[in-house]
Structures are given as C-alpha cells and as structure tokens.
C-alpha cells in the first residue's frame, strides 16, 4: 500500500517531459538536432555572460546573496522602478509558486485561461485552491468572460500575455481597462515572459499601471530572450506590500550565484536583446507567411514560437519532424484537432520544417481538417 498524498496532489499529473535529446538522436539519427520545443533562444546568450560566469567560480563554496541586491539594482536602473519592487526567483516559475503559497487558501478561486501556461493551475491546486478556466477565443484571453467569472471567492487572476502556448496577445487598451476595473482585493498576475519579443504597438505600459494598482504583479524571466534558461532566474515586479508576504515563504538562498551574476551582465547587454528580437521578428513573419501559403492554421504570434493547429493526426507528423531532427511540442487539445507549438529557429530550421510540411497535406486534407475543427 502506498502512502496517501494530500487529496489535491492525488489529482495532479506531473508536467509532461519529452524524450531526451540523446534518446532522439540515437533513435532517429538526424543530421542535425533542432530543439524547438521549449521556447529557448536559438541565438544563445550574450557573449559577455561567459566571462561573468568564469569570474564567479572562485566563490562557489559560499552561499549566494540572499537579497540579490546587485541584480535588483540593475533591474531598477533598467526599468526605472524603485529597487524594492523587484523579487528574484529561481525562474519565474518560483514566483508563481510563491504567489499561490502566500495568497491562495483552501477553496479560493483563481481565474485563468483554459489553454495557457499549466504551472498556474498546478500551483493553485497544490494550495487547495480552485482553478476557474475561461475558454480562450481565437487563441486569446477572453477578458470580458474572465471579468464575469469573478466571484466572492476569487483571489487571483492569471493573464499570460502573450499567451503560452498560443503566442497571441490581448488588445492593449482592453487589457489596460481590464486591470483598472479589477477590485483591489484580487491579485492580477500578468505573466510577461515574452515581453521583449512583442512589437511596440502591442505592449501596454504595465509598469505605469503597476504604480497605480498595487494588486498587479508582473512576471519576467531570463530564460527566454536572455537565453539563460539553464541558470533559472526570473523576477517579479510588485508593490512592496505584496512582496513582504512572498519573502516569508521563499527559500532564503533561492537564486544561485552564477545565475545572479550572469543576469546582471545579460541585462546590461541590451543590444543583444534588441538584435534577437529583430531576428525573431523577421523569422516569425517569414514562417507565418510560408505557413499561410501552405494553408496551414496558426495564430498570429507576438513571441518566439508559433502555435499551429488543424494538423489532424499528429503522430506521424511528429515522426517525420523527428527524422529531420525537429523537436517540437504537440498538444492533445480536442478543440484544435491536432496542434503543435514550435519555437522559432533560424531560416535553415524553418526551411527544413517547411519541407516536411510541403506535400504532407493535400488541399482537401487541409480543408477537411479545417471543417472538422469548426465542428468541435
Ligand atoms: C517559460 C515561461 C515562464 C518561466 O520560466 P522560468 O524559466 O521559470 O523563468 C513563465 N511563464 C511563461 C508563460 C513561460 O512560457
């Protein structure tokens, strides 16, 4: 007999981890492996980071700075927000956990999109809270329906903007109005993990809004455009009254030393960030245009990935992609009739992908897949 976990843990499933790259390499033996499954930066990270890591190595025997003082100072300078508004996490995933840990009690409700970053749901459930799912519309958060879902048990609202896995963002003026009308006792968590990939006209000035609304929390990360996913550094920007509670539930030394030092240097190298965003935009437009020409369905993206759907049966497609070394993520969402999320890569990665797609679907199949999905 196994030991019974808490009731809510029994209902959870572990996050699906795909095959390892080594397994894929030995099974499919592609000429080149292209990891396009986790939205990492295909252009790597700032070259200045390497030196920062090297010079951190002499002090590995000492715990890292528990207050992450220097990184907060750099962020404060970068964002023009007081230093005491920044809380650094072991990835922004940790900040999601700290938020639910500190604020979600048994039976509290947290509103989120039905198809979004799955970590919101699991953390709410771990605390005994109830996730309230609001269906996305055309891949995007339905802010009106989310507002209507507020009840007297609502404690938190998660907005992933742009949304993972669909890549879409909400209309900036709608989002601003939404944040302004949420009652002050409900925490609005705006996850901006892909902010740096957005086009300027799609962004809201979330930092100005934060200054006016102490119930707003912004989440950012060094794992995406900064290319430091392995080092696990993310941050929240929030009112000190919110942070005060999070600090009580966080581990003391939650952010490792290499991560802190790398993040400081990476932040200073904004030309690298700008360059990655520009290259990404060019590739995003290119791949979007080519997919349209092949009549494939996908959502307009403001991120470094595309959500492609109406693919029908996905197993054989995945096999063919893996044979070319393309590792992407497929989803079982019934409403999308076979869907995948593909991290944007280089032009060569995209040509390889398009070659696999080309000729895979006849015109009738594309039309068929489309009509199937409109029935569901
Ligand atoms: C990748 C991602 C994160 C966080 O990643 P960390 O590596 O934990 O910083 C958070 N939110 C969304 C929507 C993401 O896609």
């Amino acid at each position: 007999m196994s030991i019974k976990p808490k009731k809510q843990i029994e209902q959870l499933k572990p996050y699906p981890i795909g095959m390892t790259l080594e397994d894929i390499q030995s099974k499919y033996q592609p000429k080149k492996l292209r990891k396009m499954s986790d939205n990492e930066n295909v252009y790597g990270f700032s070259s200045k980071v390497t030196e920062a890591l090297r010079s951190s190595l002499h002090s590995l025997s000492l715990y890292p700075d528990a207050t992450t003082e220097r990184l907060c100072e750099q962020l404060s300078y970068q964002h023009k927000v007081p230093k005491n508004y920044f809380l650094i996490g072991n990835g922004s995933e940790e900040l999601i956990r700290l938020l639910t840990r500190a604020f979600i009690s048994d039976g509290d409700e947290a509103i989120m999109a039905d198809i979004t970053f799955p970590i919101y749901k699991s953390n709410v459930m771990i605390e005994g809270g109830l996730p309230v799912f609001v269906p996305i519309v055309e891949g995007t958060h339905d802010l009106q329906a989310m507002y209507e879902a507020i009840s007297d048990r609502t404690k938190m609202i998660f907005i992933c903007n742009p949304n993972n896995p669909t890549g879409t963002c909400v209309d900036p003026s709608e989002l601003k109005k939404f944040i302004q009308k949420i009652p002050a006792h409900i925490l609005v968590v705006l996850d901006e993990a892909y902010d740096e990939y957005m086009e300027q006209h799609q962004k809201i000035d979330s930092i100005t809004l934060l200054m006016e609304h102490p119930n707003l929390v912004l989440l950012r990360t060094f794992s995406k455009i900064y290319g430091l996913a392995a080092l696990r550094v993310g941050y929240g920007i929030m009112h000190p009254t919110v942070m005060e509670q999070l600090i009580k539930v966080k581990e003391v030394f939650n952010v490792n030393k290499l991560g802190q030092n790398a993040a400081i240097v990476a932040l200073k190298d904004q030309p690298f960030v700008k360059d990655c965003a520009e290259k990404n935009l060019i590739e995003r437009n290119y791949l979007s245009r080519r997919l349209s020409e092949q009549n494939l369905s996908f959502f307009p993206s403001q991120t470094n990935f595309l959500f492609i759907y109406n693919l029908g049966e996905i197993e054989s497609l995945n096999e063919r992609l893996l044979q070319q070394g393309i590792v992407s993520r497929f989803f079982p969402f019934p409403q999308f009739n076979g869907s995948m999320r593909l991290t944007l890569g280089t032009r060569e990665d995209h040509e390889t992908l398009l070659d696999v797609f080309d000729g895979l679907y006849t015109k009738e199949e594309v039309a068929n897949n489309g009509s199937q999905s409109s029935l569901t």
Side-chain angles (χ1 to χ4, degrees):
M1 195 188 79
S2 57
I3 305 171
K4 250 190 155 9
K6 296 190 231 177
K7 191 165 80 266
Q8 64 267 33
I9 305 295
E10 256 181 331
Q11 297 165 7
L12 287 177
K13 291 194 194 76
Y15 186 82
I17 310 281
M19 279 168 91
T20 66
L21 295 182
E22 290 75 19
D23 290 347
I24 292 169
Q25 183 64 48
S26 71
K27 180 165 177 199
Y28 296 94
Q29 316 222 322
K31 283 197 227 74
K32 186 177 168 197
L33 210 48
R34 305 165 197 273
K35 186 162 186 276
M36 302 167 84
S37 51
D38 290 298
N39 305 340
E40 294 134 325
N41 186 346
V42 68
Y43 307 108
F45 52 86
S46 161
S47 58
K48 305 202 164 74
V49 165
T50 314
E51 185 45 41
L53 290 180
R54 210 172 276 129
S55 59
S56 310
L57 290 178
H58 68 277
S59 57
L60 289 186
S61 55
L62 303 179
Y63 278 110
D65 173 13
T67 65
T68 60
E69 173 95 7
R70 283 179 52 239
L71 179 51
C72 291
E73 273 167 11
Q74 194 58 42
L75 283 166
S76 166
Y77 174 76
Q78 168 78 20
H79 290 293
K80 302 180 178 54
V81 174
K83 194 169 71 174
N84 62 337
Y85 276 69
F86 295 93
L87 184 63
I88 319 297
N90 183 40
S92 57
E93 258 189 68
E94 185 192 19
L95 290 156
I96 297 166
R97 190 169 67 247
L98 297 180
L99 285 162
T100 55
R101 183 93 264 221
F103 290 103
I104 296 287
S105 307
D106 232 0
D108 281 348
E109 293 177 357
I111 299 170
M112 61 192 77
D114 62 342
I115 295 183
T116 188
F117 195 47
I119 304 302
Y120 312 141
K121 168 191 164 185
S122 55
N123 281 293
V124 167
M125 288 180 64
I126 288 167
E127 302 304 332
L130 304 170
V132 174
F133 300 112
V134 176
I136 54 173
V137 175
E138 287 167 32
T140 308
H141 286 68
D142 182 349
L143 293 179
Q144 183 54 32
M146 291 182 94
Y147 183 71
E148 286 161 14
I150 292 174
S151 79
D152 39 5
R153 298 300 322 251
T154 304
K155 197 62 187 276
M156 212 175 268
I157 302 176
F158 289 97
I159 307 281
C160 186
N161 196 58
N163 191 31
N164 180 3
T166 53
T168 55
C169 68
V170 288
D171 177 83
S173 65
E174 298 285 313
L175 179 58
K176 192 172 165 191
K177 276 187 256 161
F178 176 83
I179 291 167
Q180 284 166 335
K181 70 183 180 185
I182 300 300
H185 66 278
I186 298 174
L187 212 50
V188 180
V189 181
L190 185 60
D191 187 342
E192 303 183 306
Y194 301 94
D195 175 78
E196 299 88 351
Y197 286 114
M198 295 176 81
E199 290 168 279
Q200 207 52 43
H201 67 278
Q202 299 282 7
K203 292 194 189 196
I204 60 164
D205 185 357
S206 51
I207 289 182
T208 300
L209 274 173
L210 173 72
M211 292 301 152
E212 295 156 8
H213 300 277
N215 61 330
L216 181 62
V217 173
L218 311 178
L219 300 182
R220 303 279 183 95
T221 182
F222 286 96
S223 302
K224 302 291 156 61
I225 206 165
Y226 287 96
L228 300 178
L231 292 173
R232 313 299 304 122
V233 191
Y235 59 102
I237 318 178
M238 68 196 81
H239 203 267
T241 54
V242 176
M243 191 185 307
E244 198 184 312
Q245 307 309 324
L246 301 196
I247 285 176
K248 296 182 203 168
V249 296
K250 91 169 183 67
E251 284 173 40
V252 180
F253 302 108
N254 60 331
V255 190
N256 75 82
K257 182 173 301 191
L258 298 179
Q260 291 191 34
N261 290 347
I264 293 166
V265 174
L267 255 188
K268 289 183 187 164
D269 194 354
Q270 287 303 312
F272 172 80
V273 174
K274 194 161 164 275
D275 184 50
C276 291
E278 280 167 9
K279 288 181 187 150
N280 182 74
L281 179 63
I282 291 169
E283 285 310 310
R284 187 164 78 202
N285 289 340
Y286 176 75
L287 187 58
S288 300
R289 180 171 63 74
R290 294 288 310 271
L291 291 173
S292 301
E293 285 166 7
Q294 295 198 10
N295 290 317
L296 287 158
S297 312
F298 60 95
F299 289 123
S301 169
Q302 283 294 311
T303 62
N304 67 335
F305 58 87
L306 284 178
F307 184 86
I308 311 171
Y309 60 100
N310 277 337
L311 295 166
E313 198 270 308
I314 50 185
E315 239 145 72
S316 60
L317 172 61
N318 194 21
E319 285 283 312
R320 289 188 201 220
L321 290 172
L322 289 171
Q323 281 158 10
Q324 298 306 314
I326 297 177
V327 188
S328 56
R329 193 173 293 274
F330 284 86
F331 299 104
F333 307 130
Q335 61 271 55
F336 287 117
N337 179 34
S339 52
M340 68 186 283
R341 186 190 66 200
L342 181 91
T343 306
L344 293 168
T346 60
R347 180 62 55 94
E348 193 220 331
D349 296 333
H350 296 155
E351 296 300 351
T352 306
L353 173 91
L354 289 160
D355 282 346
V356 175
F357 275 134
D358 192 26
L360 202 58
Y361 299 97
T362 62
K363 276 220 160 53
E364 296 84 69
E365 273 174 325
V366 170
N368 257 336
N369 285 345
S371 65
Q372 263 169 34
S373 87
S374 59
L375 290 177
T376 52

